[in-house]
Amino acid sequence: MSEVDALFAALRQAADPLTVDCIERVVMHGLDRDLNRINALAFADEHRLDEEKTLAALLHAARLGAFEMTWNVLCPGCGGVLDTGATLKTVDQETYHCALCAAGYEPTLDEMVEVTFTVSPRVRRIAAHDPDRLPPLEYYRQIFFSSGVDLPQDFEARFARIQLELIELAPGEKAFLSLRLPAQFVIVFDAVTHSAQFIDVKGDPTDERQNLSMVISKAHALHETLTLRPGPLRLTLENHSDRRVIPNVCVAGDDLHDLLGRRRPFLTAKRLLSNQSFRDIYRTDTLDVDQRLKITSLTFLFTDLRGSTALYERVGDLAAFDLVRAHFQVLHEIVATEAGAVVKTIGDAVMATFPSPDRAVAAALRMREAMLRLNTEHGSDDLLLKIGIHEGPCLAVNLNDRQDYFGQTVNIASRVQGLADPNVIMTTEAVVEDTHVSEILRDSGISSVSRMEELQGIGREVKIFALS
């Protein structure tokens, strides 16, 4: 058995075999481009696979060394990759600047950090393993733009309509280009160093040759916008970096915006951190102790067992332990199948996260039904589950050698759970106002009753809803 066969045999033991079969077919027969920076959500959609099973398979493949996982910081404007690293620990800048968009952004895990998967060279060698040898437009397609930019199949032909020049320069090389500027906004941009020069071409056309020099370096330099007249231009480009660069001169008009404006869902860092398979595989090596990364929206679900101390007294330690363990197993399974992750357990309580409120509410409804079934099977109402849900911004942090969350959203979710009665799901207004949550409640025939409560340590009244 070859090393590749052995890797996929091991992967079938860890992940869904049908999903693994599909991944193996693409590895063996797909284009090089198909195996570089794979968008897990797009891959699942294209091959009609379950998203969660696909994600779990790719995560296990990365653990086994068949794929490499990369964390890419994205520009929200153009979808370009501003920085990339092998772990989330590399996202360590307060602000990332995009020269192409002339804007700076504070990174957020649900909008600006994607996670992609590239086949390992030990499994199959692809062109992107040596990106500096990719054809220029393939570099733009495979390396510069994120997996969330839905580039068309005829990308090269579409880009040719707006491209005035495109050139390759080796380290230290200098080139002289002659071109004619149209009366439009023009950008000189290099995707390797992210150097950019904006040219506002306006005024009366001229036949007199204009001159412009641009130095391309690792400084990610954005030069001040220049105003030139329509007509001939002699452009001097100098590569002061230690890599090949591929500057292009293009018209920044509607065609460019249309080309880059099509987007598709991608695997965000937020979603991955709220994935049970990821947390199981990468328990302690996600964030550095000093990292504080923002998430603009995450849904927290807290549970606790009411009267668990009396349960141990009533039925004995052994029987109570078995019941509580069964309850934990059921909750873990439900959280995982609803695209969530258990962050931690504290005594008989569970703290879980979900990428969206509807997933959390769906999980809560299933948890309530599961506890009722367990109680019926045991012939007593020993498992009285209290559930609270809240959604909002938070920080992803490293606490006690584990990836955790911090902020007022977490505090409110915990306090809301403390107000819940057994078999009643308590939520906040942020949760019930979600469109998908409203659909779930309507379809399930669930009614909600609201009231104002002053939550301990919050300092203000919060509108909460009891779902029964």
Side-chain angles (χ1 to χ4, degrees):
M1 179 182 291
S2 69
E3 180 187 16
V4 174
D5 291 337
L7 281 172
F8 278 103
L11 186 55
R12 285 186 182 84
Q13 297 299 315
D16 176 62
L18 293 178
T19 304
V20 175
D21 287 345
C22 180
I23 293 173
E24 185 176 24
R25 284 195 300 272
V26 177
V27 167
M28 297 305 170
H29 307 294
L31 300 174
D32 278 12
R33 183 191 301 164
D34 299 332
L35 295 167
N36 180 52
R37 289 189 178 173
I38 292 173
N39 177 329
L41 307 187
F43 186 92
D45 181 62
E46 179 182 354
H47 297 282
R48 299 183 181 180
L49 300 171
D50 178 83
E51 279 188 1
E52 294 304 313
K53 291 179 180 178
T54 300
L55 182 50
L58 289 169
L59 286 169
H60 282 289
R63 177 182 62 84
L64 291 169
F67 278 78
E68 297 170 347
M69 187 163 55
T70 54
W71 302 72
N72 305 316
V73 181
L74 312 181
C75 171
C78 66
V81 175
L82 306 181
D83 199 9
T84 186
T87 72
L88 186 54
K89 294 178 181 180
T90 59
V91 183
D92 57 4
Q93 298 182 35
E94 292 185 4
T95 303
Y96 287 85
H97 189 85
C98 178
L100 185 57
C101 295
Y105 304 94
E106 182 181 8
T108 57
L109 297 185
D110 43 359
E111 297 173 340
M112 281 185 61
V113 182
E114 72 168 357
V115 185
T116 59
F117 300 85
T118 298
V119 69
S120 169
R122 65 190 288 200
V123 173
R124 174 175 160 180
R125 189 81 191 176
I126 61 173
H129 289 145
D130 190 2
D132 288 343
R133 299 185 67 179
L134 283 169
L137 284 183
E138 276 302 301
Y139 187 99
Y140 277 85
R141 181 199 289 271
Q142 294 191 43
I143 306 299
F144 178 73
F145 288 115
S146 73
S147 71
V149 179
D150 191 10
L151 295 175
Q153 290 298 318
D154 63 344
F155 170 65
E156 291 81 0
R158 295 274 299 275
F159 195 80
R161 300 175 194 168
I162 60 173
Q163 176 184 301
L164 302 178
E165 286 286 352
L166 177 61
I167 190 171
E168 298 181 62
L169 290 177
E173 191 175 0
K174 185 176 185 179
F176 303 93
L177 304 178
S178 293
L179 59 142
R180 180 167 289 274
L181 292 175
Q184 300 185 68
F185 200 86
V186 171
I187 299 177
V188 185
F189 178 73
D190 170 55
V192 178
T193 64
H194 297 194
S195 298
Q197 173 66 67
F198 295 161
I199 308 172
D200 190 5
V201 186
K202 60 185 179 181
D204 295 330
T206 180
D207 291 326
E208 193 175 315
R209 189 176 68 184
Q210 303 164 99
N211 293 283
L212 172 63
S213 295
M214 178 178 172
V215 172
I216 299 172
S217 69
K218 287 183 176 180
H220 294 207
L222 173 65
H223 303 278
E224 182 180 353
T225 300
L226 299 175
T227 300
L228 297 177
R229 294 164 64 186
L233 172 70
R234 188 176 194 247
L235 176 62
T236 304
L237 298 171
E238 296 184 57
N239 182 7
H240 285 196
S241 76
D242 58 359
R243 295 178 57 187
R244 174 200 72 162
V245 296
I246 44 175
N248 81 87
V249 186
C250 70
V251 175
D254 291 340
D255 285 344
L256 177 62
H257 295 145
D258 291 343
L259 186 63
L260 305 183
R262 299 194 307 172
R263 301 300 169 89
R264 59 183 178 179
F266 60 88
L267 177 60
T268 64
K270 178 187 93 166
R271 177 162 178 178
L272 194 58
L273 295 183
S274 290
N275 177 272
Q276 192 64 55
S277 294
F278 175 79
R279 292 191 71 96
D280 290 343
I281 295 170
Y282 301 92
R283 291 180 180 274
T284 61
D285 194 36
T286 304
L287 292 167
D288 276 330
V289 173
D290 296 330
Q291 274 184 292
R292 306 287 188 269
L293 295 174
K294 288 188 176 182
I295 299 177
T296 58
S297 171
L298 191 64
T299 304
F300 291 87
L301 181 150
F302 281 82
T303 73
D304 198 7
L305 285 176
R306 178 177 174 179
S308 57
T309 302
L311 170 64
Y312 280 84
E313 183 70 26
R314 186 170 64 253
V315 304
D317 288 347
L318 185 60
F321 176 76
D322 287 342
L323 272 174
V324 172
R325 184 175 61 178
H327 132 273
F328 274 134
Q329 182 177 349
V330 168
L331 296 192
H332 273 75
E333 291 174 353
I334 291 173
V335 169
T337 56
E338 290 296 341
V342 173
V343 178
K344 58 188 173 184
T345 59
I346 309 168
D348 299 325
V350 169
M351 172 185 172
T353 58
F354 297 84
S356 57
D358 58 309
R359 292 285 194 148
V361 170
L365 294 174
R366 291 178 58 189
M367 289 175 180
R368 182 164 67 180
E369 294 173 359
M371 292 306 104
L372 292 175
R373 283 197 304 272
L374 282 176
N375 285 332
T376 300
E377 292 171 4
H378 290 278
S380 62
D381 291 334
D382 288 324
L383 298 174
L384 301 175
L385 193 66
K386 302 168 59 182
I387 304 175
I389 308 173
H390 180 50
E391 175 270 338
C394 63
L395 294 176
V397 299
N398 185 322
L399 286 176
N400 302 318
D401 294 326
R402 77 166 77 202
Q403 191 262 306
D404 207 333
Y405 299 94
F406 179 83
Q408 195 75 306
T409 298
V410 184
N411 298 334
I412 291 174
S414 176
R415 300 290 189 271
V416 167
Q417 178 272 315
L419 297 173
D421 293 322
N423 299 325
V424 175
I425 301 165
M426 198 70 72
T427 74
T428 59
E429 192 170 14
V431 174
V432 297
E433 285 189 342
D434 179 84
T435 303
H436 299 297
V437 169
S438 299
E439 293 175 358
I440 291 174
L441 300 182
R442 183 179 63 250
D443 295 343
S444 303
I446 304 295
S447 60
S448 64
V449 178
S450 66
R451 69 177 189 267
M452 300 299 295
E453 284 280 353
E454 186 167 333
L455 304 182
Q456 181 182 356
I458 304 303
R460 60 181 173 86
E461 284 194 331
V462 175
K463 191 173 187 180
I464 60 173
F465 293 76
L467 309 182
S468 57

